[in-house]
Amino acid sequence: MKMRTKAQHARRYADLPGLLRQLREEAGLTQRDIGELLGHPQSWVYNCETGNRRVDLAEFCDWCKACDIAPTAAMRRFLKT
């Protein structure tokens, strides 16, 4: 019997938290900065970037826009990993 894991622990998700951090850092934003732009506390950003919290597609798009990158461009980067 195969054990199910939470989506954020799935192998195919593993590269996304690092990409989120890269996008934020490339935009020159701190965790607090992007949290304020997205309406969340710094701890929420930390949990997204460390994989403790799963980021859904809408949140991914909002994150990208806050970092001034097109979600499609960021998705292409993700798919290359």
Side-chain angles (χ1 to χ4, degrees), residues 23-48:
L23 295 174
R24 176 182 59 76
E25 289 177 343
E26 289 169 5
L29 299 171
T30 65
Q31 288 184 343
R32 186 173 310 280
D33 293 336
I34 196 166
E36 288 177 6
L37 290 169
L38 297 174
H40 293 286
Q42 175 273 330
S43 58
W44 180 89
V45 175
Y46 171 83
N47 284 321
C48 293

Side-chain angles (χ1 to χ4, degrees), residues 35-74:
E36 288 177 6
L37 290 169
L38 297 174
H40 293 286
Q42 175 273 330
S43 58
W44 180 89
V45 175
Y46 171 83
N47 284 321
C48 293
E49 291 184 351
T50 58
N52 292 327
R53 184 189 179 285
R54 183 179 162 273
V55 175
D56 69 25
L57 183 59
E59 292 168 335
F60 177 79
C61 291
D62 291 343
W63 189 291
C64 292
K65 290 175 186 174
C67 294
D68 200 28
I69 185 170
T72 52

